[in-house]
Amino acid sequence: MKRLATLFVLSSLSLLATNPKVPMPPSFGGLAKPYPESCKSLPRMIVFLPPPMEVDFRKCKNDLYMPTVADASLVLLKKFGKGVSDIKISLADGFYQLYQVDFKLNGNNSCSV
């Protein structure tokens, strides 16, 4: 049994070594302007994510960096004092990683930041 497994592994490795590498297909489209100097440290595969991955990536980053109600309440307490209540945090419409904080100030005024 050991010889059979060894033979299988060796034959698989030899087949991988002898097959020519398949070239990558050319990309469709491209940049009209040169790649910015600020992006040189990032691989292009990260900067130009496929569209389905970009949607999930944005949702993930929005969820990851959204402040908690506890963090928002501490900041609002420093800024407005003790009259802050009913804090709600959501993603601002039409934006990416910009959050809207709704709260009530002194019990009756509705405010958004």
Side-chain angles (χ1 to χ4, degrees):
M1 186 68 175
K2 288 183 182 180
R3 287 185 181 183
L4 184 62
T6 306
L7 181 64
F8 178 73
V9 170
L10 288 175
S11 64
S12 298
L13 290 175
S14 66
L15 282 175
L16 286 174
T18 59
N19 281 342
K21 302 253 183 209
V22 177
M24 292 295 292
S27 63
F28 297 105
L31 289 177
K33 57 185 181 180
Y35 201 58
E37 193 65 36
S38 61
C39 297
K40 293 286 184 193
S41 65
L42 296 172
R44 287 179 185 247
M45 67 182 133
I46 292 175
V47 176
F48 301 107
L49 289 173
M53 282 184 72
E54 188 168 351
V55 171
D56 292 341
F57 178 70
R58 284 187 177 204
K59 181 169 177 14
C60 173
K61 285 194 78 165
N62 283 331
D63 293 343
L64 182 66
Y65 292 119
M66 184 177 289
T68 62
V69 173
D71 294 337
S73 64
L74 288 175
V75 171
L76 291 172
L77 184 65
K78 286 181 185 176
K79 184 138 182 115
F80 296 108
K82 290 191 174 189
V84 177
S85 62
D86 295 335
I87 300 170
K88 296 175 191 152
I89 302 170
S90 61
L91 183 66
D93 291 333
F95 288 93
Y96 170 62
Q97 287 185 336
L98 183 68
Y99 307 102
Q100 178 176 343
V101 179
D102 297 320
F103 61 96
K104 287 188 178 180
L105 187 59
N106 297 326
N108 57 2
N109 298 336
S110 293
C111 301
S112 289
V113 177

